[in-house]
Amino acid sequence: MPSAFSVSSFPTDWTEPWLLGLAAFHVLCLLLTCFSSRRHQLQVGHFLCLVILVYSAEYINEVAAMNWRLFSKYQYFDSRGMFISLVFSAPLLLNAMVIVILWVRKTLNVMTDLKNLQEKIKDRKRRRKEE
């Protein structure tokens, strides 16, 4: 009986080494996303890598479809790319979305700090005029 998470007629064997490696890769990407929040350049590089990997998923799917017997028990890589989209691209896109949310939050904080600084300068000028 196929797994509830199966996208083909074959059951998905989540104990295959390449799927475990892919899961470990996604966990490492998530950890890098979380721990790089204070290092802007590292996060920009990480974001670009994520986007490039998602962009190249179609090519990865084609290569995997031709060579699946070398690393897998089943042919997961169909022409529509549903499996690779779910197990490869979706987690990478979620990581990229987290990075964008962190960037928006940081931008809002900087804008708030800037506005507060402008108000302080305005108050100082007003006080000097009053004296």
Side-chain angles (χ1 to χ4, degrees), residues 20-77:
L20 293 174
L22 184 62
F25 169 73
H26 287 310
V27 168
L28 288 174
C29 283
L30 182 62
L31 289 174
L32 183 59
T33 298
C34 294
F35 292 129
S36 69
S37 64
R38 303 229 186 251
R39 300 191 63 199
H40 182 69
Q41 291 177 339
L42 176 63
Q43 204 167 47
V44 169
H46 180 52
F47 179 80
L48 291 175
C49 287
L50 292 174
V51 171
I52 289 169
L53 284 171
V54 170
Y55 178 77
S56 63
E58 181 181 355
Y59 305 110
I60 294 170
N61 187 55
E62 289 175 10
V63 171
M66 290 186 290
N67 300 303
W68 68 271
R69 286 182 180 87
L70 299 174
F71 60 90
S72 181
K73 293 178 189 174
Y74 302 108
Q75 164 55 304
Y76 298 114
F77 307 98

Side-chain angles (χ1 to χ4, degrees), residues 5-126:
F5 299 106
S6 180
V7 293
S8 66
S9 61
F10 298 108
T12 303
D13 184 4
W14 296 105
T15 61
E16 288 193 50
W18 74 274
L19 283 173
L20 293 174
L22 184 62
F25 169 73
H26 287 310
V27 168
L28 288 174
C29 283
L30 182 62
L31 289 174
L32 183 59
T33 298
C34 294
F35 292 129
S36 69
S37 64
R38 303 229 186 251
R39 300 191 63 199
H40 182 69
Q41 291 177 339
L42 176 63
Q43 204 167 47
V44 169
H46 180 52
F47 179 80
L48 291 175
C49 287
L50 292 174
V51 171
I52 289 169
L53 284 171
V54 170
Y55 178 77
S56 63
E58 181 181 355
Y59 305 110
I60 294 170
N61 187 55
E62 289 175 10
V63 171
M66 290 186 290
N67 300 303
W68 68 271
R69 286 182 180 87
L70 299 174
F71 60 90
S72 181
K73 293 178 189 174
Y74 302 108
Q75 164 55 304
Y76 298 114
F77 307 98
D78 61 341
S79 61
R80 293 177 298 158
M82 182 63 79
F83 186 78
I84 199 162
S85 294
L86 290 174
V87 300
F88 183 73
S89 296
L92 295 177
L93 287 172
L94 288 174
N95 266 320
M97 192 170 67
V98 167
I99 291 173
V100 169
I101 289 169
L102 290 172
W103 287 347
V104 168
R105 193 181 91 196
K106 186 175 183 176
T107 302
L108 290 174
N109 288 338
V110 168
M111 289 172 60
T112 303
D113 292 343
L114 178 64
K115 189 63 177 173
N116 289 338
L117 184 61
Q118 287 174 344
E119 290 297 320
K120 285 180 184 179
I121 292 172
K122 208 179 207 181
D123 285 343
R124 286 181 192 158
K125 286 181 180 179
R126 191 177 315 127

